[in-house]
Amino acid sequence: MENKAVVLGANYYIGLSTIRCLGMHDVHVAAVDYAWEGSYGLESKYCSETLIGPHYKEDPEGLVTFLINYAKQQTSTPVLIPTADPYVEFVDAYLPELREYFLIPQTEQGLYTKVMDKGTLHTLASEHGVAVPETVEVDDEDFVQKVDEIIQYPCLVKPVDSPAFVAKFRRKLFQVSNQEELLEKVQQAKDADIEVIVQRIIPGFDDHMYTFDAYLNQEAKVTHWVTCQKLRQFPINYGASVYTQQKYVPELYDLGAKFLEGIGYKGFAEIEFKKDAETGRYYLIEINVRITNLNHLLYKTGINIPYITYRDLTGDPLEPKAIQEDKNMVFWYAYEDLLAVREYIKTGQLSPKKVIGSYFRPKAHAIWDPKDPKPAIAFGKKMAGLVVDKVTKKS
């Protein structure tokens, strides 16, 4: 295949999974990160090239120049695939320049950012008839009164820009139980110069979280899709998927495809929904506009998103496909799932018996692959190093 694939991000399993999904189809993969240390995805046998470039935040202009210089050396236009939110924001910020030298699904600058931004996303969703949790802006003069009347406690203080919030607080949001906590957490966010909103908690355990994962072609039409159900996440209750099953839920296609096509979206997106335990209504929670945590599960069930993207952009699209049955397959990120299980049991949300019973199913592992073991070994060394550092500091 003449066109190379440039994968941005190799220090997390999403990048690793993307590299594997392309490399196994003999696509030349150039994996890019800003440091060798911790970038275990660069150890994959499916990497044709490993490149260390400037940091996306510390030197974005340098990274643009680095990537364009690489593309200029190629005989065919490379496909550019970001695998983490900061890389998506980077690509969106420099989309016109990068599109001159790379094949990128999105053509409208700002749409990625608009969809990642909780405020503008909720406006878009409401305009297209998709339910979102009741929300109050903290800049409103009477926002505390509105929270009391519209949302009530407990409620959530959520970031408008998730990557910045997670980088600062190492969590996706704050849950608050009263007015005092609300004001404290809102002030913490303001002190960090991070915009937040206040949102109602949709009732239901973590298994009421669902995803609609879809690819939209250059006509902004859904060509491939699959739906999943979260079973456990970390941090618990408001975190990322660590144990998730593929589950056919046709209603999510009706909601998700209509919305994404309606806003003219192109490329891959994952919409997270929560099903209200009391009403059964699905609420849009957020959208991931890069390759997802569940990528290996999607691949194992028959939807190879990175390769679908590659083929579509290089002018040889794959046949449309949807997974319209239950495959009894689960995604498992063992390291964080074990941390999550401890918390679920400690808080009485799950029993040991239920947890143990859940493990006897075919799995799509986040990192481990017997055909490509080096990344898992590198990840193990990384974790061992962190443990040694903690023990050393304590002593």
Side-chain angles (χ1 to χ4, degrees), residues 133-181:
E134 290 82 351
T135 302
V136 168
E137 306 281 343
V138 300
D139 291 333
D140 293 353
E141 279 186 28
D142 55 348
F143 94 90
V144 173
Q145 183 182 341
K146 285 184 176 179
V147 170
D148 288 337
E149 295 173 355
I150 300 170
I151 297 178
Q152 302 178 343
Y153 299 96
C155 59
L156 306 176
V157 177
K158 297 180 69 173
V160 167
D161 177 16
S162 289
F165 188 93
V166 171
K168 174 65 179 177
F169 297 111
R170 310 310 302 168
R171 60 179 67 190
K172 293 179 75 172
L173 49 78
F174 295 131
Q175 180 172 330
V176 298
S177 302
N178 52 52
Q179 189 179 115
E180 184 182 354
E181 288 182 9

Side-chain angles (χ1 to χ4, degrees), residues 98-232:
L98 292 171
R99 279 187 60 83
E100 288 186 34
Y101 299 95
F102 289 93
L103 300 174
I104 301 170
Q106 197 52 258
T107 55
E108 179 188 335
Q109 187 179 23
L111 186 56
Y112 279 146
T113 304
K114 199 182 292 184
V115 170
M116 292 172 73
D117 182 293
K118 300 293 190 300
T120 50
L121 171 61
H122 286 184
T123 301
L124 281 173
S126 299
E127 289 172 354
H128 288 82
V130 180
V132 294
E134 290 82 351
T135 302
V136 168
E137 306 281 343
V138 300
D139 291 333
D140 293 353
E141 279 186 28
D142 55 348
F143 94 90
V144 173
Q145 183 182 341
K146 285 184 176 179
V147 170
D148 288 337
E149 295 173 355
I150 300 170
I151 297 178
Q152 302 178 343
Y153 299 96
C155 59
L156 306 176
V157 177
K158 297 180 69 173
V160 167
D161 177 16
S162 289
F165 188 93
V166 171
K168 174 65 179 177
F169 297 111
R170 310 310 302 168
R171 60 179 67 190
K172 293 179 75 172
L173 49 78
F174 295 131
Q175 180 172 330
V176 298
S177 302
N178 52 52
Q179 189 179 115
E180 184 182 354
E181 288 182 9
L182 171 67
L183 293 171
E184 178 193 338
K185 295 304 182 185
V186 168
Q187 190 59 51
Q188 276 188 31
K190 284 185 176 179
D191 291 343
D193 198 26
I194 296 173
E195 187 180 351
V196 292
I197 54 178
V198 184
Q199 205 170 77
R200 178 171 78 92
I201 296 175
I202 305 302
F205 180 59
D206 290 2
D207 61 2
H208 282 61
M209 293 293 300
Y210 294 83
T211 67
F212 172 68
D213 296 88
Y215 184 83
L216 291 87
N217 64 15
Q218 289 300 289
E219 283 73 51
K221 296 297 180 186
V222 172
T223 59
H224 298 77
W225 62 274
V226 59
T227 54
C228 302
Q229 178 186 18
K230 287 189 181 183
L231 299 177
R232 295 191 289 272

